[in-house]
């Protein structure tokens, strides 16, 4: 019996009720009362925080890979004539190098990196005491790209002193107005990525279609219009040259006839 509830057919000395696992250590008289001491599984929580740090650093590394990849000026986009003289494999390799550095110092990626750091470092409003930010829980920033690492002893200390604060720093939600200062690290980082994806959509669209209002989509349409107008202008110029060439041929033919007439008059 636990808190008034009866549990039968227990096959082992472990029983989980309401998220708490009870371990029976010895048999007792049915009428006696046992005092239960509950401790938190800090090792499992620390493992989850370590997993979070690993994923955070992987994401940061992938962002920096694109942010610091410089353009390769030796490889320009291929023209149709150049592509016709190359194999598919050569075109693929060339295009891959030509695309390198397209996101070099891209402002959207730069903002993501900056906002990720702010999400970690900013204290969570409403969390009292000294354990009110990820940095106060044993997480610190390294000198390499701002990767983060964990001091397990500090996190254990925080879990033992105030586990509720630890939970709120990472998992606190604010469904009302989604205030950055009021929410935990997890929701902050989620909001950072959501905002970034909106910016990407506004800038580049969401598919290969250019029928959207994205910056690149509008730019592509503008260039297509310019190319179409230039082609029309060149066709008109070509037609004008053909007419001049035809008029020149007519004039030369007329001069030839006149020359023959004059020549025959003196023969």
């Amino acid at each position: 019996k636990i808190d008034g509830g009866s549990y039968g057919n227990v096959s082992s000395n472990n029983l989980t009720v309401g998220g708490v696992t009870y371990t029976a250590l010895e048999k007792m008289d049915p009428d006696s009362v046992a005092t239960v001491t509950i401790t938190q599984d800090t090792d499992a929580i620390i493992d989850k925080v370590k997993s979070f740090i690993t994923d955070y650093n992987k994401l940061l590394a992938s962002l920096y890979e694109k942010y610091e990849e410089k353009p390769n000026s030796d490889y320009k986009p291929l023209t149709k004539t150049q592509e016709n003289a190359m194999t598919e494999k050569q075109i693929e390799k060339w295009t891959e190098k030509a695309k390198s550095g397209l996101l070099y110092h891209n402002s959207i990626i730069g903002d993501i990196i900056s906002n990720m750091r702010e999400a970690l470092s900013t204290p969570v409003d409403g969390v009292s005491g000294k354990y009110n930010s990820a940095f106060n829980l044993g997480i610190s920033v390294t000198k390499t790209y701002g990767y983060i690492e964990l001091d397990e002893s500090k996190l254990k200390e925080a879990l033992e002193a105030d586990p509720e604060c630890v939970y709120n720093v990472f998992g606190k939600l604010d469904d009302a107005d989604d205030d950055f200062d009021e929410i935990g690290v997890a929701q902050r980082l989620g909001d950072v990525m959501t905002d970034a994806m909106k910016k990407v959509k506004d800038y580049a669209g969401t598919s290969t279609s250019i029928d959207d209002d994205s910056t690149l989509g509008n730019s592509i349409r503008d260039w297509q219009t310019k190319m179409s107008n230039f082609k029309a202008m060149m066709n008109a110029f070509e037609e004008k040259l053909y007419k001049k060439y035809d008029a020149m041929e007519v004039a030369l033919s007329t001069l030839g006839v006149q020359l023959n007439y004059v020549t025959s008059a003196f023969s």
Side-chain angles (χ1 to χ4, degrees):
K1 292 183 178 181
I2 299 175
D3 294 336
S6 297
Y7 303 90
N9 300 322
V10 180
S11 59
S12 71
N13 65 328
N14 293 323
L15 177 65
T16 300
V17 178
V20 178
T21 299
Y22 297 86
T23 302
L25 301 179
E26 61 181 67
K27 289 184 178 181
M28 297 179 62
D29 186 281
D31 296 326
S32 63
V33 178
T35 300
V36 179
T37 301
I38 299 177
T39 58
Q40 197 161 205
D41 188 356
T42 57
D43 289 339
I45 297 174
I46 290 173
D47 286 342
K48 290 183 182 297
V49 174
K50 288 165 70 175
S51 177
F52 161 77
I53 290 174
T54 298
D55 291 339
Y56 179 96
N57 288 338
K58 283 182 180 179
L59 176 59
L60 196 59
S62 66
L63 291 170
Y64 265 111
E65 181 182 0
K66 292 300 180 184
Y67 188 72
E68 294 195 337
E69 182 185 45
K70 294 183 178 180
N72 195 330
S73 58
D74 294 332
Y75 292 86
K76 303 294 184 183
L78 293 170
T79 64
K80 288 296 181 182
T81 303
Q82 289 173 321
E83 287 184 351
N84 292 335
M86 300 169 68
T87 65
E88 289 187 9
K89 194 67 176 177
Q90 288 174 327
I91 294 173
E92 182 182 341
K93 289 183 177 181
W94 184 284
T95 302
E96 182 181 349
K97 291 180 179 180
K99 287 182 177 180
S100 64
L102 288 177
L103 297 176
Y104 179 65
H105 283 188
N106 177 271
S107 61
I108 295 177
I109 295 180
D111 287 343
I112 294 175
I113 294 172
S114 176
N115 292 336
M116 285 174 64
R117 291 174 181 167
E118 186 179 4
L120 279 175
S121 61
T122 304
V124 179
D125 285 355
V127 178
S128 59
K130 64 178 182 179
Y131 303 115
N132 62 348
S133 75
F135 286 177
N136 292 336
L137 300 179
I139 292 178
S140 59
V141 179
T142 69
K143 294 181 180 180
T144 306
Y145 290 146
Y147 293 154
I148 57 176
E149 58 186 6
L150 176 66
D151 184 331
E152 293 187 30
S153 62
K154 287 186 177 180
L155 180 56
K156 274 187 177 181
E157 178 185 313
L159 286 168
E160 292 171 0
D162 197 341
E164 188 68 19
C165 284
V166 177
Y167 169 78
N168 284 327
V169 166
F170 284 101
K172 186 181 179 185
L173 302 177
D174 182 25
D175 298 327
D177 53 11
D178 205 19
D179 188 335
F180 181 87
D181 291 334
E182 294 284 345
I183 58 180
V185 171
Q187 188 173 348
R188 286 176 181 175
L189 291 174
D191 290 348
V192 167
M193 297 307 162
T194 300
D195 292 342
M197 289 308 300
K198 288 179 181 178
K199 291 179 180 179
V200 170
K201 180 181 177 182
D202 291 340
Y203 183 74
T206 56
S207 68
T208 56
S209 173
I210 62 171
D211 296 327
D212 55 43
D213 291 326
S214 67
T215 301
L216 288 183
N218 291 332
S219 180
I220 290 173
R221 285 195 298 274
D222 288 343
W223 278 107
Q224 286 180 334
T225 300
K226 290 178 181 179
M227 289 170 62
S228 179
N229 292 340
F230 184 74
K231 186 175 181 180
M233 184 183 71
M234 291 301 297
N235 288 338
F237 183 67
E238 183 182 47
E239 185 66 24
K240 184 178 180 180
L241 290 179
Y242 279 138
K243 287 181 179 179
K244 286 184 176 182
Y245 181 77
D246 291 340
M248 183 179 66
E249 282 194 323
V250 171
L252 288 174
S253 178
T254 301
L255 287 174
V257 171
Q258 291 175 349
L259 179 62
N260 289 335
Y261 176 77
V262 172
T263 303
S264 62
F266 287 97
S267 60

